[in-house]
Amino acid sequence: MRFTAQRLLSIVWVALVIFLFFGLLVVAGVLVVALLAHFAAALGVVFGLALFVVAIWLALPATLAVPTFMMEGRTGFRAYRRAFFLVRHNWWRTFGLLLVTGILSGVISLIADVLFGVALRDAIGGTTAGKI
């Protein structure tokens, strides 16, 4: 905890740099797609799909930027560049691991929510809908 607490501002900085990078990418991409769609709808659709693919391709390394900072101490955009380098030849493997981890996390969270929801409803004596 102390290790993370000492680096909290740097973690926020890395996350902010990545957020701003993707924010600018999405805003610029949406503007270009909207401009192209204004002139030719099919062209807008094609460039919109291309923007989506590029955003996904660039977003995967972004998930590893903060862990890269924590392990290697690289800050700001250097952490993202290092994460991009680490994922470079293992993109599909990393994508699969993150997908499976996300699904398992979601299933476990859903089970816990249902169990605690049932226990809470039982503890308060049924539903509170319509009661004043």
Side-chain angles (χ1 to χ4, degrees):
M1 293 295 283
R2 187 178 312 135
F3 180 77
T4 303
Q6 292 171 345
R7 290 160 179 78
L8 187 59
L9 289 177
S10 294
I11 292 170
V12 171
W13 173 244
V14 169
L16 184 64
V17 166
I18 300 302
F19 177 75
L20 290 175
F21 170 69
F22 279 99
L24 290 174
L25 174 77
V26 168
V27 168
V30 167
L31 289 175
V32 168
V33 167
L35 183 65
L36 290 173
H38 179 70
F39 294 113
L43 195 59
V45 169
V46 169
F47 273 86
L49 290 173
L51 175 67
F52 179 74
V53 169
V54 168
I56 295 296
W57 181 66
L58 291 174
L60 186 73
T63 61
L64 300 175
V66 172
T68 300
F69 159 71
M70 292 298 286
M71 294 293 121
E72 298 182 6
R74 296 172 193 236
T75 59
F77 203 72
R78 277 186 248 127
Y80 176 76
R81 273 197 329 237
R82 175 66 177 149
F84 192 83
F85 177 76
L86 291 171
V87 171
R88 187 176 54 189
H89 295 294
N90 296 308
W91 196 93
W92 284 108
R93 181 182 305 165
T94 307
F95 176 77
L97 286 170
L98 288 173
L99 182 67
V100 169
T101 303
I103 290 170
L104 288 174
S105 172
V107 168
I108 291 170
S109 177
L110 178 66
I111 291 169
D113 287 347
V114 167
L115 291 176
F116 286 120
V118 168
L120 181 63
R121 186 173 37 180
D122 190 43
I124 62 173
T127 181
T128 59
K131 293 186 180 178
I132 296 177

